[in-house]
């Protein structure tokens, strides 16, 4: 702990701590799971993980944009995920133990949402939040957490509801900090997770065609079409209320980051052949994609403007 007060971004220091932690975990958890109960595993592992997470929080707070602290934090929660009791372990004696990890991982996602509202340039935090969200959903799927809640329906419906909630919060962050790239990156990470669920990439059941069309339609309306109208036509996002007039550069950055987000989401959708077939108005998406590329290509301040290069290549052809 003392080492990180002086060398918080030294990769060797974090690698050494990870090695020490791996030895601690091996000593705490017997390789023969039959000798340990689920309750005993939790008593041994959870305090350790919480201590590591607390350390990572303090380091990230005092030494901002610390990739290594977020990577170590992910290591800690992934160890919990790997050893936490689930429905597949024969010695599971208390179903509440399964639910407790879901609550723990959901808390990590909520923590990131709050963190990004105070650290709007922390790329590593946004990437960590996406991985924490994926672990939360994987745990729900493997334990049947969603299927056992009548109000949530199937596990897939439960997962979609979870991600929709995170998307709503990310939209609120965009409304407050639209000129900050990290907030848009966080939103596109969550959008990718949403598309992964709909496409069955969590090894879950595939949505029926009618349901997939409905779910995708709602997603596109709220997180593609509405964003495009806001950026290109000057319309306000829902519930966007402010009396502060943004500076010209803030408006430009909001548009650049927003258009990049749209292209990224459309590219992810295009890569999923099974999903793109469920989009009723593909021509509208193509129009948005081309308009985004054309607008970005005209911005001479974008250093690495791949859209400008694409435009030149198309013109040469």
């Amino acid at each position: 702990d003392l080492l990180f007060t002086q060398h918080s971004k030294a990769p060797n220091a974090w690698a050494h701590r990870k090695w020490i932690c791996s030895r601690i975990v091996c000593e705490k958890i017997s390789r023969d799971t039959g000798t340990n109960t689920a309750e005993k595993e939790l008593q041994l592992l959870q305090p350790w993980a919480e201590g590591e997470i607390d350390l990572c929080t303090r380091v990230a707070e005092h030494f901002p944009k610390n990739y290594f602290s977020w990577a170590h934090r992910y290591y800690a929660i992934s160890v919990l995920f790997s050893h936490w009791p689930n429905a597949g372990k024969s010695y599971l004696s208390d179903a509440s133990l399964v639910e407790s990890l879901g609550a723990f991982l959901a808390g990590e996602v909520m923590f990131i949402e709050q963190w990004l509202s105070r650290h709007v340039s922390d790329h590593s935090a946004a990437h960590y939040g996406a991985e924490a969200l994926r672990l939360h959903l994987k745990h729900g799927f493997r334990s049947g957490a969603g299927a056992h809640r009548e109000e949530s329906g199937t596990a897939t419906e439960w997962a979609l509801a979870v991600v929709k909630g995170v998307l709503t919060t990310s939209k609120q962050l965009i409304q407050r900090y639209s000129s900050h790239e990290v907030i848009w990156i966080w939103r596109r990470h969550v959008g990718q997770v949403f598309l992964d669920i709909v496409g069955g990439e969590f090894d879950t059941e595939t949505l029926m065609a009618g349901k997939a069309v409905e779910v995708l339609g709602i997603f596109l309306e709220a997180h593609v079409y509405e964003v495009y109208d806001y950026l290109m036509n000057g319309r306000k996002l829902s519930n966007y209320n402010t009396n502060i007039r943004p500076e010209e550069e803030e408006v430009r950055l909001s548009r650049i980051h927003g258009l990049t987000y749209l292209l990224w989401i459309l590219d992810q959708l295009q890569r999923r052949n099974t999903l793109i077939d469920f989009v009723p108005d593909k021509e509208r998406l193509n129009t948005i994609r081309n308009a985004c590329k054309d607008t970005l290509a005209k911005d001479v301040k974008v250093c690495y403007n791949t859209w400008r290069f694409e435009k030149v290549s198309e013109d040469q052809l």
Side-chain angles (χ1 to χ4, degrees):
D1 293 355
L2 181 62
L3 181 63
F4 291 134
T5 62
Q6 299 295 326
H7 307 284
S8 67
K9 296 185 179 181
N12 291 342
W14 286 102
H16 181 61
R17 188 179 187 91
K18 183 178 179 180
W19 178 82
I20 294 175
C21 288
S22 67
R23 302 298 301 171
I24 293 174
V25 171
C26 287
E27 291 179 3
K28 287 181 176 292
I29 303 298
S30 172
R31 293 184 180 275
D32 180 9
T33 56
T35 62
N36 276 332
T37 64
E39 292 83 355
K40 186 175 180 180
E41 282 195 13
L42 295 185
Q43 292 172 0
L44 295 172
L45 274 181
Q46 191 167 3
W48 162 80
E50 290 176 348
E52 294 302 301
I53 289 173
D54 181 63
L55 168 71
C56 292
T57 301
R58 287 186 280 111
V59 170
E61 190 72 63
H62 288 89
F63 305 94
K65 304 177 186 179
N66 194 318
Y67 164 81
F68 299 104
S69 68
W70 291 107
H72 187 76
R73 189 183 186 116
Y74 176 72
Y75 165 73
I77 67 171
S78 63
V79 168
L80 273 184
F81 175 82
S82 299
H83 291 278
W84 203 279
N86 60 77
K89 291 190 175 182
S90 58
Y91 58 86
L92 179 62
S93 61
D94 188 352
S96 64
L97 294 177
V98 177
E99 294 295 328
S100 59
L101 178 59
F104 178 85
L105 293 173
E108 285 296 285
V109 177
M110 292 178 61
F111 172 83
I112 289 299
E113 293 173 330
Q114 297 169 2
W115 180 273
L116 290 176
S117 68
R118 294 180 286 110
H119 305 80
V120 294
S121 299
D122 198 333
H123 285 261
S124 298
H127 286 275
Y128 168 81
E131 295 305 315
L133 177 60
R134 287 183 180 277
L135 283 186
H136 176 39
L137 297 176
K138 287 179 181 179
H139 176 69
F141 282 126
R142 77 176 181 179
S143 64
H148 294 308
R149 300 191 183 111
E150 294 182 0
E151 69 275 11
S152 301
T154 67
T156 299
E157 291 172 340
W158 163 79
L160 288 173
V162 169
V163 179
K164 284 179 182 177
V166 182
L167 280 170
T168 299
T169 306
S170 72
K171 180 178 177 179
Q172 295 169 355
L173 286 174
I174 290 292
Q175 291 166 354
R176 295 170 60 189
Y177 310 107
S178 62
S179 62
H180 292 272
E181 183 182 19
V182 169
I183 307 303
W184 287 101
I185 289 176
W186 167 241
R187 188 173 187 176
R188 75 189 192 191
H189 280 322
V190 180
Q192 182 184 16
V193 173
F194 184 90
L195 295 177
D196 286 345
I197 297 172
V198 179
E201 296 186 30
F202 279 84
D203 295 326
T204 59
E205 71 274 11
T206 304
L207 293 176
M208 298 295 291
K211 183 65 175 178
V213 170
E214 177 188 352
V215 168
L216 274 179
I218 295 174
F219 173 80
L220 291 173
E221 186 62 41
H223 304 289
V224 174
Y225 302 146
E226 184 177 314
V227 173
Y228 177 76
D229 288 342
Y230 164 69
L231 295 171
M232 303 298 287
N233 303 325
R235 298 179 184 177
K236 293 183 177 180
L237 292 171
S238 301
N239 301 321
Y240 183 82
N241 296 308
T242 178
N243 294 321
I244 302 176
R245 185 178 181 82
E247 298 291 337
E248 181 178 350
E249 181 63 11
E250 290 182 344
V251 174
R252 188 190 74 85
L253 289 174
S254 297
R255 176 170 291 188
I256 294 300
H257 299 325
L259 294 178
T260 304
Y261 155 82
L262 289 174
L263 284 175
W264 198 90
I265 289 294
L266 294 180
D267 179 69
Q268 291 294 315
L269 186 59
Q270 188 68 38
R271 293 184 183 190
R272 295 163 170 78
N273 295 329
T274 56
L275 290 187
I276 197 66
D277 293 336
F278 295 133
V279 177
D281 193 353
K282 298 183 184 64
E283 188 61 33
R284 185 179 183 184
L285 292 185
N286 289 331
T287 300
I288 292 175
R289 180 184 291 106
N290 292 332
C292 290
K293 288 183 177 180
D294 289 342
T295 303
L296 288 169
K298 296 174 182 176
D299 193 308
V300 297
K301 292 185 179 181
V302 179
C303 297
Y304 299 99
N305 200 326
T306 57
W307 303 281
R308 189 184 307 135
F309 298 146
E310 288 182 6
K311 185 67 176 176
V312 171
S313 300
E314 292 173 0
D315 292 341
Q316 290 176 345
L317 293 176

